[in-house]
Amino acid sequence: MIPRFLYAMAPGRRHVSYAILGYILFTGVAQAVSPHQPLPFHAGEELTFKVSWLGISVGIATMKIEPHTSDAGESIWRLISTARSLPFFDAFHKVDDYAESLFDPYTRLPSYFFIRQHEGQRRSRYEMIFDQPQRLVTYRKRDQPARFIATQTDVQDPLSVLYRVRSMPLTVGQSIVVPLFNKGKTWMTEVRVLQRERLKLPVGKIDTIKIQPLLREAGIFHHQGDMFVWLTDDAQRVPVQLRSDIKIGAVQARLVEAKGVHLEQAASQRFKSPHRDRLAARPGGW
């Protein structure tokens, strides 16, 4: 749903689990979409966001889709999300997060999810293997023994859910609900489709549709304030802005570079983030 970096780069927050550009959900209760209909995204898409807190730039996050081949030899996609704090912010609260999901573009379901987190003094790592036909998930945290958990329904993981919702019909004034599996539980979360807005972003002026996930007090998220996501108001539903209100101010991510997508004509691809080049030059790259 909402990318985790919206929380990870906010000092003094309570811990919340990963959810990406976070963190926007779908379900069988919502309008059904045929798997034969084309998806609004494809391999080669790459989005770069500048993350700010209290108006200060604190990090860079990316979301991208890579072609991949499953163990059975089928063509699937590898969804990758990264979040990295800027050098000056590392002294206060270093963030270096990586998550990936193996996503079947035909069934629109994940088969695998992995996350590695480094946030301040905290380290975390876990993976989930999905057997969607059997509705079973193998969950393993660090080097602990694996747990086998029944889901009773098809589920998304914290990263694939954002891509899945982009293919769903979104009607202003209506809500959708999604089964999302994370850390041993299936959570049903409502997402409200609020309104249409035109945003002025570094990539241009973009017509968007604004949605709001209604988060739980416990479980996947610890609810601290309102959370909003802006998607392009076209067939692609590209996430261009995300905001999470916290106890002190708000954490915001704004799109600064897009590859493999066609934004509105006003949204030029001429903008290139200097922060991204600086981070790429760091030892270890991203």
Side-chain angles (χ1 to χ4, degrees):
M1 185 175 319
I2 304 299
R4 177 172 175 75
F5 56 77
L6 288 182
Y7 297 105
M9 295 177 182
R13 87 247 182 266
R14 292 170 61 193
H15 167 63
V16 291
S17 62
Y18 187 93
I20 101 357
L21 272 156
Y23 309 170
I24 314 193
L25 312 164
F26 88 97
T27 183
V29 222
Q31 300 124 305
V33 176
S34 168
H36 299 288
Q37 294 180 359
L39 287 167
F41 45 86
H42 54 82
E45 178 184 283
E46 184 172 353
L47 309 174
T48 302
F49 299 82
K50 180 173 72 173
V51 184
S52 62
W53 173 63
L54 296 177
I56 303 170
S57 296
V58 295
I60 294 291
T62 67
M63 299 178 67
K64 63 181 178 179
I65 308 174
E66 295 181 347
H68 191 73
T69 303
S70 70
D71 293 339
E74 300 174 335
S75 295
I76 58 175
W77 291 342
R78 192 165 168 236
L79 313 178
I80 299 175
S81 171
T82 68
R84 188 82 174 265
S85 51
L86 295 178
F88 87 91
F89 198 66
D90 285 351
F92 303 97
H93 189 78
K94 182 176 181 179
V95 173
D96 183 7
D97 287 354
Y98 173 91
E100 70 172 69
S101 171
L102 298 185
F103 183 79
D104 187 329
Y106 182 80
T107 63
R108 301 166 189 213
L109 293 170
S111 59
Y112 177 77
F113 176 79
F114 168 81
I115 183 168
R116 171 187 51 77
Q117 299 165 282
H118 174 183
E119 300 172 9
Q121 300 300 314
R122 181 178 178 275
R123 304 288 193 280
S124 177
R125 186 183 75 250
Y126 67 91
E127 65 179 353
M128 300 183 293
I129 302 172
F130 296 87
D131 185 339
Q132 300 284 4
Q134 298 298 320
R135 295 181 174 176
L136 185 69
V137 179
T138 303
Y139 171 68
R140 181 182 292 108
K141 182 178 181 180
R142 294 178 182 171
D143 300 322
Q144 298 177 6
R147 296 167 53 195
F148 303 93
I149 305 164
T151 63
Q152 300 182 358
T153 186
D154 294 338
V155 291
Q156 295 292 328
D157 64 46
L159 180 55
S160 69
V161 65
L162 175 59
Y163 290 88
R164 181 62 177 93
V165 79
R166 289 172 59 183
S167 68
M168 300 294 294
L170 299 178
T171 304
V172 172
Q174 296 185 8
S175 296
I176 55 177
V177 181
V178 63
L180 170 63
F181 187 90
N182 193 33
K183 292 191 173 182
K185 293 185 179 181
T186 300
W187 303 90
M188 306 300 291
T189 304
E190 178 187 0
V191 177
R192 292 177 178 172
V193 184
L194 299 179
Q195 62 191 54
R196 288 180 164 83
E197 289 188 15
R198 186 166 180 81
L199 300 181
K200 185 176 181 181
L201 299 169
V203 291
K205 294 180 179 179
I206 306 293
D207 289 323
T208 68
I209 188 163
K210 181 180 179 181
I211 61 179
Q212 178 187 19
L214 300 182
L215 307 179
R216 290 176 174 268
E217 183 66 27
I220 297 175
F221 300 95
H222 291 287
H223 184 61
Q224 297 183 11
D226 292 333
M227 181 178 295
F228 303 97
V229 180
W230 287 259
L231 306 172
T232 55
D233 191 12
D234 57 18
Q236 298 178 102
R237 299 286 193 230
V238 180
V240 295
Q241 180 172 279
L242 306 97
R243 191 187 80 218
S244 175
D245 297 334
I246 58 176
K247 290 183 178 180
I248 304 177
V251 183
Q252 181 171 266
R254 306 179 81 208
L255 184 68
V256 295
E257 186 177 3
K259 297 179 181 179
V261 298
H262 300 286
L263 300 177
E264 294 183 7
Q265 186 174 359
S268 165
Q269 300 294 321
R270 66 183 178 278
F271 184 90
K272 186 172 179 62
S273 168
H275 300 302
R276 183 179 180 184
D277 292 339
R278 193 185 315 157
L279 287 177
R282 296 171 65 183
W286 287 87

